[in-house]
């Protein structure tokens, strides 16, 4: 038996849960389970829908499915037996054979998603081609994240009808108001402005790091300017009284959902979770001190009137050189950072090291440009699909404007080069980085020059000075 107290953001009450669970660690592949994979909604999809809902003033609702995994029936080939739970005695030598899926089974998420998907399609919803957890119709859009649903429509009556029909279809669904606390993210919507915050998780990070609420000094930036975080093999051993990997895990969830301003700093620290030193602990503590001073900060989605996609790719060429062992080839790898905005609102961002070693600044920037477009084009395709449901002007001949802002002249020139060919200095680039050039014309994508001081992707590639960091944060997050 499992017992849990669940706290819901922005709601005073708590849920007290007790579950009869299965020892999934005792299962054997090929005997009592076969396939286990089940999809969950991408946060790109969630943020895109939140932006469109604010822009179009769509009605929204969050729904929860009670005891979700118990809904699905196990197929006959999966023969599973469990011990009797405490309080149930039907004979000392008897066990129970499962007819329904239960929490703890390795295949339980897959069976439930199949069960729910069938009923959503019976209702008239069609799964998206670009996100299997997005279901669409002319009047309704549903985003599925395991047993949590976000439902959007132009009319409340459509949402009420959906909930009623799902109950008739043997889905124990409950409407819990608008999207106020989706997956631990506090969502507040006023007019056309939606704010995503995670104060509770931020407080847990600060507490886990042992930062005193009154005495700990606050800092203006999450990472030092002009200093990269290396392996520090010969540095002082870690001796902090906190779990480094646990704090990194919480920070990764935070920066991936509502705090893109700490993405670079967190990724730097996450690289050394396997063997942190004191310098890595201090870098983590600095992030906590920054969060302490911006504890109520979050991501503000306030879409502009025009419908457009803007991409801001950037790179830091060999950023670890001089900060790490020069004999380690990883110290010359460049970092890619990019941001994708929908109507001025962030929907995708990333900060990561490049897999290949770039030989020049132009090559590093070109790799970042290509990498960012691999994320931009799926967002465009998702918008095309949503456009048919919401009557949006998203086809290539319409008012949808797609622009990529590049601050490196060499990468910009190579990306625009017509007819498409290799130059003497670029012929060694991996073919996988040239693929996007054939897509620019057909997708109506414009490559344009932007000043380095206005490059929003810069915040994802390196530690910045206080004034520049605050300026870019204001442009990205709205504060």
């Amino acid at each position: 038996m499992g017992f849990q107290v669940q706290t819901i953001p922005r709601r005073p009450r708590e849920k007290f849960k007790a579950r009869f669970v299965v020892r999934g660690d005792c299962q054997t592949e090929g005997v009592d389970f076969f396939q286990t994979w089940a999809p969950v909604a991408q946060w790109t999809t969630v943020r895109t829908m939140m932006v469109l809902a604010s822009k179009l003033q769509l009605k929204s609702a969050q729904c929860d499915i009670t005891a979700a995994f118990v809904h699905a029936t196990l197929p006959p080939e999966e023969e599973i037996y469990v011990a009797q739970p405490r309080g149930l005695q039907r004979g000392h030598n008897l066990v129970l054979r499962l007819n329904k899926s239960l929490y703890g089974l390795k295949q339980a998420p897959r069976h439930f998603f199949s069960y729910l998907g069938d009923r959503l399609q019976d209702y008239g919803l069609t799964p998206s081609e670009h996100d299997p957890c997005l279901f669409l119709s002319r009047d309704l859009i549903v985003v599925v994240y395991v047993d949590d649903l976000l439902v959007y429509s132009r009319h409340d009556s459509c949402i009420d009808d959906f909930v009623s029909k799902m109950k008739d279809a043997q889905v124990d669904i409950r409407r819990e108001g608008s999207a106020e606390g989706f997956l631990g993210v506090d969502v507040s919507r006023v007019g056309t402005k939606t704010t995503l915050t995670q104060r509770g998780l931020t407080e847990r990070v600060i507490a886990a790091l042992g930062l005193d609420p009154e005495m700990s000094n606050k800092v203006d930036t999450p990472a030092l300017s002009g200093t990269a975080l290396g392996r520090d093999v010969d540095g002082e051993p870690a001796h902090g009284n906190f779990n480094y990997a646990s704090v990194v895990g919480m920070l990764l969830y935070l920066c991936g959902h509502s705090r893109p301003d700490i993405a670079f700093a967190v990724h730097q620290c996450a690289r050394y979770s396997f063997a942190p030193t004191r310098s890595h602990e201090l870098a983590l503590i600095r992030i906590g001190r920054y969060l302490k001073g911006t504890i109520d900060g979050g991501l503000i989605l306030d879409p502009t009137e025009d419908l457009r996609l803007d991409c801001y790719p950037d790179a830091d060429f060999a950023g670890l050189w001089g900060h790490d062992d020069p004999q380690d080839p990883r110290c010359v790898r460049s970092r890619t950072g990019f941001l994708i905005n929908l109507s001025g609102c962030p929907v995708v961002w990333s900060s990561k090291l490049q897999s290949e070693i770039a030989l020049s600044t132009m090559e590093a920037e070109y790799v970042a440009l290509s990498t960012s477009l691999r994320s931009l084009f799926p967002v465009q395709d998702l918008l095309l699909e949503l456009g048919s449901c919401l009557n949006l002007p998203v086809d290539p001949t319409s008012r949808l404007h797609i622009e990529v802002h590049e601050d490196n002249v060499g990468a910009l020139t190579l990306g625009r080069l017509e007819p498409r060919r290799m130059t003497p200095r670029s012929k060694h680039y991996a073919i996988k980085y040239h693929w996007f050039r054939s897509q620019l014309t057909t997708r109506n994508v414009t490559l344009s020059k932007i000043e380095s001081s206005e490059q929003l992707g810069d915040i994802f590639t390196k530690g910045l000075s206080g004034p520049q960091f605050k300026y870019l944060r204001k442009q990205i997050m709205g504060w």
Side-chain angles (χ1 to χ4, degrees):
M1 296 291 290
F3 300 90
Q4 178 187 12
V5 178
Q6 181 181 13
T7 303
I8 303 174
R10 297 183 66 209
R11 296 182 191 175
R13 61 186 175 85
E14 296 176 330
K15 286 184 178 180
F16 294 86
K17 293 185 174 182
R19 285 177 177 157
F20 177 35
V21 298
V22 176
R23 287 281 306 275
D25 59 307
C26 297
Q27 290 185 263
T28 303
E29 185 174 4
V31 177
D32 48 22
F33 79 94
F34 300 91
Q35 298 186 52
T36 61
W37 180 82
V40 294
Q42 305 169 33
W43 263 91
T44 300
T45 302
V46 174
R47 281 188 290 264
T48 298
M49 281 307 309
M50 288 181 175
V51 172
L52 293 177
S54 295
K55 187 179 181 66
L56 303 175
Q57 289 296 284
L58 300 178
K59 307 296 183 182
S60 66
Q62 181 183 355
C63 298
D64 178 69
I65 299 176
T66 304
F69 290 175
V70 182
H71 285 71
T73 301
L74 290 176
E77 63 270 16
E78 295 181 4
E79 194 170 312
I80 302 173
Y81 297 90
V82 296
Q84 298 181 55
R86 284 178 293 176
L88 177 66
Q89 292 298 328
R90 298 289 179 86
H92 296 292
N93 298 321
L94 298 179
V95 294
L96 306 178
R97 178 177 177 179
L98 293 184
N99 294 321
K100 293 278 190 176
S101 176
L102 271 186
Y103 287 88
L105 285 178
K106 294 181 182 295
Q107 65 270 43
R110 181 181 182 88
H111 287 324
F112 171 70
F113 181 78
S114 177
Y115 177 92
L116 180 61
D118 289 343
R119 278 143 187 81
L120 291 174
Q121 292 183 67
D122 290 343
Y123 181 75
L125 295 164
T126 303
S128 165
E129 295 181 1
H130 304 97
D131 188 336
C133 294
L134 176 67
F135 292 81
L136 310 167
S137 73
R138 298 295 300 180
D139 302 313
L140 203 71
I141 296 176
V142 179
V143 181
V144 179
Y145 200 106
V146 191
D147 59 347
D148 289 298
L149 278 63
L150 287 179
V151 186
Y152 295 95
S153 178
R154 295 186 185 275
H155 309 287
D156 268 324
S157 58
C158 294
I159 299 177
D160 292 335
D161 179 73
F162 167 75
V163 173
S164 176
K165 294 294 176 59
M166 285 295 102
K167 289 180 178 179
D168 294 341
Q170 305 303 311
V171 178
D172 190 3
I173 190 171
R174 180 177 64 256
R175 181 172 179 174
E176 297 186 336
S178 58
E180 298 174 346
F182 189 64
L183 302 177
V185 180
D186 194 358
V187 183
S188 173
R189 179 174 159 191
V190 179
T192 61
K193 183 182 295 186
T194 300
T195 304
L196 309 182
T197 56
Q198 291 174 274
R199 183 186 174 98
L201 182 57
T202 304
E203 290 175 340
R204 285 175 55 197
V205 170
I206 295 171
L209 289 170
L211 298 178
D212 189 284
E214 302 297 333
M215 301 298 295
S216 299
N217 293 328
K218 303 169 186 177
V219 292
D220 292 333
T221 62
L224 288 171
S225 173
T227 302
L229 191 64
R231 292 185 64 193
D232 195 18
V233 177
D234 300 322
E236 180 185 355
H239 56 75
N241 57 352
F242 59 86
N243 186 318
Y244 188 95
S246 175
V247 173
V248 166
M250 289 188 284
L251 287 171
L252 285 171
Y253 194 82
L254 187 62
C255 73
H257 293 79
S258 66
R259 294 299 297 262
D261 53 328
I262 63 171
F264 165 74
V266 172
H267 187 269
Q268 273 200 131
C269 295
R271 293 185 61 221
Y272 308 108
S273 296
F274 64 98
T277 65
R278 183 57 182 168
S279 64
H280 303 139
E281 287 184 333
L282 292 175
L284 210 59
I285 290 172
R286 182 182 178 89
I287 299 174
R289 292 167 61 195
Y290 168 74
L291 291 174
K292 186 171 178 289
T294 59
I295 193 167
D296 291 315
L299 182 61
I300 299 175
L301 305 176
D302 190 8
T304 57
E305 292 185 3
D306 54 336
L307 185 66
R308 59 180 294 147
L309 283 171
D310 291 281
C311 180
Y312 299 87
D314 197 24
D316 182 32
F317 173 60
L320 286 172
W321 180 257
H323 303 282
D324 216 339
D325 181 4
Q327 303 303 318
D328 188 345
R330 286 172 290 193
C331 78
V332 292
R333 288 168 63 186
S334 303
R335 178 174 291 272
T336 289
F338 65 86
L339 172 75
I340 298 174
N341 281 352
L342 170 60
S343 295
C345 301
V347 291
V348 185
W349 56 84
S350 178
S351 175
K352 62 181 180 181
L353 289 181
Q354 296 178 0
S355 56
E356 283 100 357
I357 296 176
L359 302 182
S360 66
T361 299
M362 185 185 81
E363 182 177 353
E365 295 278 358
Y366 190 74
V367 170
L369 173 62
S370 178
T371 301
S372 67
L373 290 177
R374 285 207 297 266
S375 295
L376 175 66
F377 293 161
V379 176
Q380 181 187 10
D381 293 335
L382 180 64
L383 276 177
L384 289 170
E385 198 170 30
L386 290 170
S388 60
C389 298
L390 301 173
N391 297 320
L392 293 174
V394 292
D395 60 275
T397 61
S398 70
R399 293 185 290 112
L400 176 63
H401 183 72
I402 306 174
E403 189 168 357
V404 181
H405 306 270
E406 175 60 61
D407 63 353
N408 183 271
V409 175
L412 187 65
T413 302
L414 185 59
R416 287 172 170 174
L417 202 58
E418 290 291 346
R420 292 182 294 273
R421 61 186 185 277
M422 309 302 175
T423 65
R425 293 185 179 182
S426 66
K427 60 185 179 182
H428 69 279
Y429 295 2
I431 295 298
K432 66 180 180 179
Y433 294 121
H434 293 291
W435 68 276
F436 72 88
R437 295 194 294 182
S438 62
Q439 301 282 320
L440 297 180
T441 302
T442 57
R443 288 180 175 272
N444 197 29
V445 176
T446 302
L447 295 182
S448 63
K449 179 71 171 66
I450 190 173
E451 294 298 323
S452 295
S453 60
E454 300 293 326
Q455 175 56 273
L456 302 186
D458 198 29
I459 201 173
F460 302 103
T461 61
K462 63 179 77 71
L464 301 175
S465 63
Q468 179 65 5
F469 177 83
K470 290 179 179 179
Y471 174 75
L472 294 180
R473 184 185 66 190
K474 173 69 173 178
Q475 301 302 310
I476 295 170
M477 304 181 64
W479 53 276

